[in-house]
Amino acid sequence: MAGSMAATAAHTDIADLSGNFSGGKARLQLRNQLDALSVAPNSAAAALAAASVSLILTSAAENMEQWYSEDESELHEAMMLGEVLTFVTGPSCNQMAMDALSLELPNPVAKLGAICLDLSAAKAILERFAFNCSPRDNVLILCEALDRHSSVPVVNSASYFSILIDGIGKVLPLIQSHHAYNIKMALRVVIGCVKYSVSVLKEHNGRNAIGLFNAAFGFSNTVQEMCERMIDDEKEEVTTTLGLFALQNVALISQSKQEHSLSCGLLAIGYSQLAIQSGFSWKGLLCGDGIRSAIGKNNEGLGMSKLEFFSLAIEGAHLSVTWMNNYHNMLEILPAIAEVNLAWTDKWRAIQMCKYVLRSRNYQWQIKSWSLEFLSIFDESSSEEASQDERLVSVHIAIVMIKEIEGMRTSVPDESVHTKAYAAIKKIIRMLPQCERFTLLHELLKDRTCPISTGYLLEMVKEDINTECKLFDELQDYEALPPCFQDCLDFLFINLSRPYEDNLDSWGKVLDCLNLLRYLLMRGSRILPKPVVRRICLELIASLRYHLAARLSGNDDCTIHEELVWLVVWVVVDRCMTLAEDLVAAPVDG
């Protein structure tokens, strides 16, 4: 009873510590509470004394900044964590005292250890709890403490999390049952705090971020060792979760803003290889195979959003390969790249994976430029014959990728990134079959948001026309129009025969098409049959001249800019008509 009353009185005195904090007084109070705990007659008295110890450590952590400024020498005398460590490793700490402290101290011990930079003492205390208290209770307490990340001062969050993650890694292997549930819970909590910490850490805390990623990597190694001792169903479930955990961390490493790129690269590669060891394949990471389904299965029955914890796993899959590519560690993934290059659908699915990083605002330009460089690993041809549906899908992917790249290019001031963006756009266009380039051109002209890509594509079509003209000059035995000429004519009849809208974007599209027609008439003078040229005159050029003449003569409300655009279009139409009439009038070669 005396021990209980002493603890109660001391607890009342401690309540005033935060308002009038003194390092010497706090250390004395701590010793008194530990002494009271060692002789506590029952669990209630032990719990009260443990709560007092927790309050003292919490007050010390909260007042540390003031403590530094008022009396720096006193900071070195008040070895709070040392006092607690000495107690929990000494003979006066019985099981009741140990259990009471394990319920109260994980959060304040980790917080004080992070602020004092005494991580080793804090980890040793939590390890003592892990080996002497209920593992299941312990992991729940540690996960709860880790999940309170929003209340932790930003400047110390990485060290605070590292201490708790280390503690979870020590206690998890000691749990005797329900391994899968506890491991999945711990993995989610760890990834949640890492994601939070990366989003708030400043650039000068880059080394702290690396320490946090290292702690999470050590924890994942512990989980991997546990997986080896599990039965089949549990092993598959936990291993998949561990793979998603690894991919999520690759994405978070890529988002972290600090200068220790070598350390980050080694960690990213380590996590990438962990994902492979956890059941994913390099081809799967290249193409995104199985990742979304793994996320869905991983959250079944837990009442959680399917993308709540592993929302970055898709990005992490792509970034795993880009980190390997950037650090010249490609030997492992070369067979997967060769396999993907052989299959049309797989290649375009791998190309599409880049869009998740390019469209995100969470990655620096350096990371995005690696994604652009990554496109160079794909061949411009494929040994697999693609179906019409597969080619159309590839055109859709090409449009999406071009828009993402052009959108990124316009927001980046770095000229080196612009150069890589231009090269990536050309690469994507060249990977399309010649006949599908006109489908892409049709969509780009209709959208009018990608002027650079449209210009590249028009130049590429002109190169194809030149190539086929040279072949004709060499062979001169075409029984029909060359494929490129036929595709180009089909494209022009579709885009120049339809009604014209009044907006300038529509007339800009007409002008691009007319310039392509003019080029075709110039280069195809020996290839285009006269009936085809007559049809061009009647159905395209004459119709456009009539429409333009009516617009120029009857629209007094147009602006000067609109009138100039129509005049330019008129000049090109007139030039096309002259070329066409010359071709029709030219004598047939004997």
Side-chain angles (χ1 to χ4, degrees), residues 546-588:
Y546 173 80
H547 193 86
L548 276 171
R551 183 169 292 277
L552 286 169
S553 62
N555 197 338
D556 298 330
D557 297 330
C558 65
T559 65
I560 295 176
H561 180 59
E562 288 173 331
E563 189 169 353
L564 286 174
V565 170
W566 292 332
L567 285 172
V568 171
V569 174
W570 177 272
V571 170
V572 180
V573 167
D574 196 58
R575 178 59 180 153
C576 288
M577 179 60 82
T578 302
L579 288 168
E581 289 173 345
D582 290 346
L583 288 179
V584 171
V588 180

Side-chain angles (χ1 to χ4, degrees), residues 83-358:
E83 295 281 358
V84 176
L85 181 59
T86 300
F87 177 77
V88 298
T89 55
S92 60
C93 183
N94 54 46
Q95 189 60 49
M96 185 169 61
M98 186 74 74
D99 289 339
L101 289 175
S102 71
L103 296 173
E104 294 284 350
L105 292 197
N107 193 39
V109 163
K111 187 178 292 188
L112 188 59
I115 293 175
C116 295
L117 300 179
D118 194 0
L119 275 65
S120 59
K123 290 179 180 179
I125 293 169
L126 297 185
E127 183 176 3
R128 191 72 178 169
F129 294 154
F131 287 104
N132 291 277
C133 304
S134 166
R136 189 176 299 176
D137 291 344
N138 217 275
V139 77
L140 289 173
I141 293 166
L142 289 169
C143 285
E144 183 183 359
L146 192 59
D147 205 32
R148 295 175 183 168
H149 44 69
S150 60
S151 63
V152 180
V154 171
V155 71
N156 303 110
S157 62
S159 298
Y160 167 80
F161 292 149
S162 297
I163 294 168
L164 292 175
I165 291 170
D166 182 79
I168 294 172
K170 293 290 195 306
V171 75
L172 263 183
L174 303 176
I175 297 176
Q176 298 300 315
S177 61
H178 302 291
H179 292 112
Y181 178 84
N182 285 289
I183 290 173
K184 287 172 69 175
M185 174 186 66
L187 283 168
R188 285 179 171 84
V189 172
V190 171
I191 206 66
C193 80
V194 174
K195 186 175 181 180
Y196 162 79
S197 196
V198 166
S199 68
V200 298
L201 279 173
K202 306 298 182 183
E203 288 191 25
H204 66 271
N205 289 315
R207 195 172 298 277
N208 288 339
I210 291 174
L212 179 58
F213 285 120
N214 273 316
F217 190 70
F219 167 74
S220 64
N221 287 334
T222 298
V223 173
Q224 190 177 30
E225 292 172 4
M226 293 178 67
C227 289
E228 296 174 0
R229 301 191 295 271
M230 291 181 179
I231 60 176
D232 291 343
D233 290 343
E234 275 198 337
K235 182 175 182 178
E236 182 181 357
E237 183 181 10
V238 175
T239 301
T240 301
T241 307
L242 183 60
L244 295 173
F245 175 87
L247 295 178
Q248 183 88 354
N249 272 298
V250 173
L252 291 171
I253 288 170
S254 306
Q255 289 183 5
S256 61
K257 297 179 180 178
Q258 33 72 38
E259 299 176 354
H260 308 286
S261 57
L262 178 60
S263 301
C264 279
L266 295 175
L267 272 169
I269 291 172
Y271 276 116
S272 302
Q273 292 169 334
L274 175 62
I276 299 302
Q277 294 164 13
S278 301
F280 292 99
S281 66
W282 285 117
K283 181 187 174 185
L285 298 189
L286 276 165
C287 303
D289 290 345
I291 297 175
R292 284 192 179 86
S293 62
I295 295 171
K297 290 178 182 178
N298 193 260
N299 291 283
E300 284 177 2
L302 294 176
M304 298 173 181
S305 168
K306 290 187 176 183
L307 294 176
E308 183 178 356
F309 291 97
F310 300 115
S311 58
L312 302 177
I314 295 286
E315 296 169 25
H318 167 69
L319 289 163
S320 294
V321 185
T322 60
W323 277 101
M324 297 286 283
N325 183 44
N326 189 65
Y327 277 76
H328 310 292
N329 195 8
M330 295 291 284
L331 192 60
E332 286 185 52
I333 61 176
L334 284 177
I337 292 172
E339 184 180 355
V340 167
N341 269 321
L342 290 175
W344 181 271
T345 302
D346 288 342
K347 181 169 69 175
W348 281 96
R349 285 169 61 211
I351 291 168
Q352 185 176 224
M353 289 288 286
C354 300
K355 73 179 182 183
Y356 300 106
V357 172
L358 296 178

Side-chain angles (χ1 to χ4, degrees), residues 419-582:
T419 302
K420 292 176 182 177
Y422 299 146
I425 290 171
K426 289 182 178 179
K427 178 79 173 181
I428 289 171
I429 294 173
R430 289 191 180 279
M431 280 191 283
L432 286 172
Q434 188 182 83
C435 59
E436 299 303 337
R437 291 177 189 169
F438 290 99
T439 307
L440 177 61
L441 182 58
H442 174 76
E443 294 299 323
L444 292 179
L445 286 173
K446 182 170 66 176
D447 190 80
R448 306 295 294 177
T449 58
C450 303
I452 300 295
S453 303
T454 304
Y456 284 154
L457 190 50
L458 286 168
E459 290 303 314
M460 211 169 287
V461 169
K462 291 176 182 178
E463 288 177 14
D464 293 338
I465 292 172
N466 272 335
T467 301
E468 294 200 347
C469 286
K470 290 176 182 177
L471 283 173
F472 179 85
D473 290 338
E474 292 174 5
L475 303 176
Q476 296 192 12
D477 62 351
Y478 279 127
E479 296 181 0
L481 280 174
C484 181
F485 274 68
Q486 187 61 59
D487 291 336
C488 188
L489 285 170
D490 291 343
F491 168 80
L492 291 171
F493 274 102
I494 289 172
N495 285 277
L496 290 178
S497 299
R498 58 183 58 195
Y500 312 108
E501 299 175 9
D502 289 335
N503 59 71
L504 290 181
D505 279 345
S506 176
W507 284 101
K509 170 186 170 182
V510 169
L511 186 58
D512 285 332
C513 292
L514 281 171
N515 279 319
L516 181 58
L517 174 61
R518 182 173 62 90
Y519 190 83
L520 187 70
L521 292 170
M522 290 169 57
R523 297 293 292 126
S525 59
R526 301 181 59 192
I527 300 175
L528 290 170
K530 289 189 177 183
V532 173
V533 178
R534 290 192 186 98
R535 185 185 171 206
I536 290 172
C537 288
L538 292 173
E539 296 184 23
L540 297 185
I541 303 175
S543 174
L544 270 170
R545 287 180 78 174
Y546 173 80
H547 193 86
L548 276 171
R551 183 169 292 277
L552 286 169
S553 62
N555 197 338
D556 298 330
D557 297 330
C558 65
T559 65
I560 295 176
H561 180 59
E562 288 173 331
E563 189 169 353
L564 286 174
V565 170
W566 292 332
L567 285 172
V568 171
V569 174
W570 177 272
V571 170
V572 180
V573 167
D574 196 58
R575 178 59 180 153
C576 288
M577 179 60 82
T578 302
L579 288 168
E581 289 173 345
D582 290 346

Side-chain angles (χ1 to χ4, degrees), residues 381-397:
S381 60
S382 175
S383 62
E384 180 187 86
E385 190 68 29
S387 67
Q388 178 65 26
D389 288 342
E390 288 172 332
R391 292 200 300 268
L392 289 176
V393 169
S394 66
V395 171
H396 173 73
I397 293 172

